[in-house]
Amino acid sequence: MYPIIRGASLLAVAGGTILLVAARTTDRSVELRPAIDSGTAKHIILFIGDGMGDSEITIARNYAVGAAGRLAMDALPFTGEYTTYSIAEDDPSKPVYVADSAATGTAWATGSKTSNGRISTSAKTDRDLPTILELAQQRGYATGDVTTAELTDATPAVLAAHVASRSCQGPDDMAQCPQDRKTVGGPGSIAEQMIDRGVDVLLGGGSSRFEQSVSGEQTVAHQASTNGYQLVKTAQALRGVSSSRVLGLFAAGTMTTEWIGQEALPYPSNVKNPQVCETDHRRSQEPSLSEMTAKAIDLLERATRDGAFFLQVEGASIDKQSHAANPCAQIGETIAFDRAVRVGLEYAAAHRDTLLVVAADHGHSGQIVSTPADADHPSGLLSTLLTADRTPMTVSYATAAYHRSQDHTGTQVRIAAQGPQAAAVLGVIDQTDLFRVMARALGASTPPPSSAR
Ligand SMILES: [Zn+2]
């Protein structure tokens, strides 16, 4: 369980944190010089917090470790920001300021901007865009794709599938992508393409997509086991896996959230009665994101002779619970994601030839606002939480009407990195640049952006 700091335990729990803060105030040039590495990486681990803008990180930090505390993801030596806009389907020369996870994922997966809803295909022309996972495979790296969402959801899908619409997740979901159906010579749904692509380690939710039939009695899951995948459905079964090709499906849809709590409501909501989140809510048969990350690293490292691998790990429900204006569930997913980052950092500490990146796909709606009062309060949905500082923090969601799904925002978001090529994330870059950072780390030549503006 992530420590919820309470009064006297502050020093004990946050001891490392305080040291970290102190270190940041000293001359860091000696420490940073050797961190600048222009070489290639034998291991690439990309952590994506879906909908994890600076605001979402701050909300989680304040709640879980206090305003002066630091999360694992705060410890990376190089931090920058990247722009996340997408482009218009009808006129790709025009930006769309608020992007979705399909377009943003396509940006780092392929190095090209696309329109909202597309999975590694180009806006307007519907061309397949080669992905970083495919490039890693060509260069002999084992590959893994881990998420708390459905494996066929946009963020995991962009690495291993090419379809016109993110909705085309299983063979029965192809209404928006008639040209991609296998029956007309297309590559099939996202689920089919992920299996056909031979991604070594696939862990997440979304079993219902893989239980759809490809032809007659054969389901996508059947096809996966014919293709050599070991299928697992529980955390217990995952622990026993030793095959380097595994399909782990731990929920029919999105995996359960780690924490629960009251949803945000119009004022006065719970402003005068701050809530404390309920932790440890995930079903025991569903592994945590950190457990999936550790297992994926372990399997991938043994999948090839030299141990080279590319792995993407997504904390998906930071986004999904922001849509639901549920701050406790959102924070719990951010903290669970941070624990997965910690697993990656521990691996990277022992394997210096690891490029480790922590980024988001787009910002989301939650904002930390001043204490609302009868005389003056925001018009959106509000929830007040009692933080690790034992201080109330009010979070406002105001990007959609009450009872509607809260919307993403168009802000730039944090990207942080360490290892070979990591220094390239400094300053303000674009999401498509992350593709080139990772491609260089793979030792591939990096073509200039194509449809990126
Ligand atoms: Zn979203």
Side-chain angles (χ1 to χ4, degrees):
M1 199 57 266
Y2 211 82
I4 306 299
I5 301 164
R6 294 269 178 265
S9 62
L10 181 66
L11 284 176
V13 176
T17 297
I18 288 161
L19 282 174
L20 181 65
V21 173
R24 292 277 154 117
T25 62
T26 60
D27 177 7
R28 298 186 64 215
S29 47
V30 172
E31 164 202 345
L32 288 178
R33 246 172 241 129
I36 299 172
D37 179 347
S38 59
T40 56
K42 192 151 104 178
H43 319 288
I44 299 180
I45 311 177
L46 171 61
F47 289 96
I48 297 291
D50 202 305
M52 193 185 71
D54 286 347
S55 178
E56 286 72 26
I57 296 171
T58 313
I59 290 167
R61 185 196 297 122
N62 285 352
Y63 183 83
V65 295
R70 290 295 179 267
L71 301 170
M73 70 175 96
D74 296 329
L76 275 69
F78 301 113
T79 295
E81 294 271 319
Y82 68 19
T83 47
T84 65
Y85 65 94
S86 57
I87 55 176
E89 173 70 11
D90 297 339
D91 181 358
S93 73
K94 293 283 185 203
V96 171
Y97 295 120
V98 180
D100 82 327
S101 298
T104 54
T106 297
W108 74 74
T110 72
S112 296
K113 296 274 186 197
T114 194
S115 58
N116 287 352
R118 283 191 170 276
I119 300 291
S120 295
T121 52
S122 61
K124 200 169 185 177
T125 55
D126 195 29
R127 276 183 303 108
D128 289 1
L129 301 166
T131 75
I132 193 72
L133 181 141
E134 291 160 4
L135 190 60
Q137 284 183 327
Q138 286 158 19
R139 302 187 77 84
Y141 286 63
T143 56
D145 203 352
V146 172
T147 182
T148 52
E150 298 187 66
L151 267 168
T152 50
D153 203 7
T155 308
V158 293
L159 294 175
H162 306 272
V163 284
S165 167
R166 58 183 294 169
S167 64
C168 303
Q169 298 189 51
D172 297 342
D173 308 322
M174 296 300 284
Q176 302 298 316
C177 317
Q179 70 279 29
D180 293 317
R181 287 175 194 271
K182 280 199 167 173
T183 48
V184 298
S189 65
I190 293 167
E192 293 163 273
Q193 291 190 51
M194 289 187 119
I195 299 306
D196 291 344
R197 175 64 49 204
V199 182
D200 299 285
V201 175
L202 290 165
L203 305 176
S207 63
S208 67
R209 311 288 181 175
F210 290 83
E211 281 155 15
Q212 296 179 14
S213 297
V214 181
S215 57
E217 295 292 283
Q218 267 255 333
T219 64
V220 185
H222 279 133
Q223 214 157 57
S225 61
T226 309
N227 288 10
Y229 280 91
Q230 185 176 350
L231 267 56
V232 291
K233 291 185 169 177
T234 64
Q236 294 76 3
L238 179 64
R239 283 174 210 134
V241 170
S242 57
S243 159
S244 59
R245 188 165 276 200
V246 59
L247 173 61
L249 296 164
F250 307 105
T254 304
M255 291 171 71
T256 319
T257 62
E258 298 275 354
W259 297 6
I260 55 170
Q262 302 157 25
E263 288 176 13
L265 296 169
Y267 185 83
S269 185
N270 69 333
V271 164
K272 295 193 170 67
N273 196 6
Q275 64 169 323
V276 173
C277 301
E278 197 179 311
T279 61
D280 274 327
H281 180 250
R282 179 164 288 180
R283 304 182 308 153
S284 65
Q285 59 265 46
E286 293 182 34
S288 66
L289 190 59
S290 50
E291 188 175 359
M292 291 195 284
T293 302
K295 188 69 184 186
I297 290 172
D298 181 44
L299 294 174
L300 289 171
E301 205 182 24
R302 289 186 280 123
T304 59
R305 214 174 40 206
D306 67 351
F309 68 81
F310 167 88
L311 170 64
Q312 177 178 293
V313 176
E314 184 205 18
S317 290
I318 304 166
D319 169 83
K320 295 185 191 304
Q321 295 302 321
S322 296
H323 282 296
N326 187 327
C328 280
Q330 171 197 324
I331 292 167
E333 293 305 295
T334 315
I335 295 306
F337 174 77
D338 195 58
R339 295 174 81 189
V341 170
R342 191 180 295 272
V343 168
L345 286 171
E346 281 163 10
Y347 180 80
H351 300 81
R352 292 283 171 186
D353 47 2
T354 303
L355 168 62
L356 189 151
V357 179
V358 181
D361 50 358
H362 52 73
H364 224 300
S365 44
Q367 291 289 331
I368 303 164
V369 297
S370 297
T371 306
D374 289 348
D376 189 10
H377 51 81
S379 57
L381 308 182
L382 303 167
S383 183
T384 301
L385 302 106
L386 189 64
T387 70
D389 298 313
R390 300 189 68 77
T391 300
M393 166 178 71
T394 300
V395 180
S396 151
Y397 299 85
T399 55
Y402 186 29
H403 291 314
R404 300 294 296 241
S405 172
Q406 294 294 314
D407 200 1
H408 304 166
T409 61
T411 181
Q412 62 190 32
V413 296
R414 182 201 280 194
I415 176 169
Q418 70 172 42
Q421 301 297 333
V425 308
L426 289 173
V428 178
I429 62 173
D430 183 75
Q431 202 151 40
T432 53
D433 295 325
L434 174 53
F435 170 81
R436 282 171 281 280
V437 172
M438 295 190 290
R440 276 198 303 277
L442 289 171
S445 58
T446 53
S450 51
S451 60
R453 297 167 71 252

